[in-house]
Amino acid sequence: MTFYTTIDSPLGELLLVGEESETAEGGTALASVSMPGQRTGEAVQDGWHHAPDAFAVITAQLRSYFDGGRTSFDIEYAARGTEFQQRVWRALDALPYGTTTAYGRLADRIGVPRSAVRAVAAAIGANPLLVVRPCHRVIGADGALTGYAGGLDRKRQLLLHEGQAAGEEAVRVA
């Protein structure tokens, strides 16, 4: 069964989509976090059930993150993807709060050649879990902000929230 709810955030209203799970704390595994105006973002579908209570644990963690009390998430994910996408997403999950990395360095981390940077970027762009899976922490090799499904203004906002200079010379690369 697919559930959804919306929550207010500093980035605008977030649409949370989840699947029923016997193993997830609170009973819901998170499948998607979408923002208004996001390319490839989710939209509520027929047959989905509006169930704010099903997201109580997830909502509490997101609120704590935005309030500055949380630097990581302990959420079960229901997101699906190819084996390659999942490898890239696991590498994203391992990026520490307050750091950034470049696409090429992420390619190195997962053991693919630098010539696969576009494929890595495409997998990052397919990430359905904005904010909680920190694709906003991936920047250009020169420190510039590049590509974010939620928009570069939101990427900058998230990096500033995490203490980064958002494309200025003080970006710390992981």
Side-chain angles (χ1 to χ4, degrees):
M1 180 178 297
T2 301
F3 303 112
Y4 76 94
T5 194
T6 58
I7 64 167
D8 289 327
S9 83
L11 305 173
E13 185 178 74
L14 301 179
L15 171 64
L16 309 181
V17 179
E19 302 289 332
E20 192 170 23
S21 170
E22 292 181 11
T23 57
E25 185 180 359
T28 302
L30 188 62
S32 175
V33 177
S34 298
M35 303 173 184
Q38 172 190 336
R39 58 185 166 86
T40 70
E42 286 281 1
V44 176
Q45 305 290 315
D46 289 338
W48 288 6
H49 301 280
H50 185 248
D53 292 344
F55 293 90
V57 170
I58 296 165
T59 298
Q61 288 190 35
L62 281 163
R63 290 193 198 294
S64 180
Y65 168 82
F66 286 121
D67 290 343
R70 176 176 281 279
T71 60
S72 64
F73 295 94
D74 185 21
I75 296 171
E76 182 178 311
Y77 302 143
R80 300 155 201 67
T82 67
E83 183 178 322
F84 182 76
Q85 287 172 331
Q86 290 179 27
R87 281 176 55 203
V88 172
W89 296 344
R90 282 190 298 274
L92 289 176
D93 289 335
L95 291 175
Y97 179 93
T99 64
T100 58
T101 195
Y103 292 91
R105 285 179 163 247
L106 203 61
D108 291 344
R109 277 197 187 142
I110 65 168
V112 298
R114 291 275 175 124
S115 59
V117 166
R118 287 183 191 265
V120 169
I124 292 168
N127 171 25
L129 298 167
L130 298 188
V131 181
V132 298
R133 178 172 288 138
C135 54
H136 58 275
R137 296 180 189 153
V138 183
I139 59 174
D142 62 355
L145 297 186
T146 58
Y148 185 64
L152 292 182
D153 287 342
R154 288 187 179 119
K155 183 172 187 163
R156 178 177 284 106
Q157 189 176 354
L158 286 165
L159 292 174
L160 288 171
H161 170 73
E162 293 185 3
Q164 287 299 309
E168 298 170 9
E169 60 272 350
V171 172
R172 194 173 93 216
V173 178

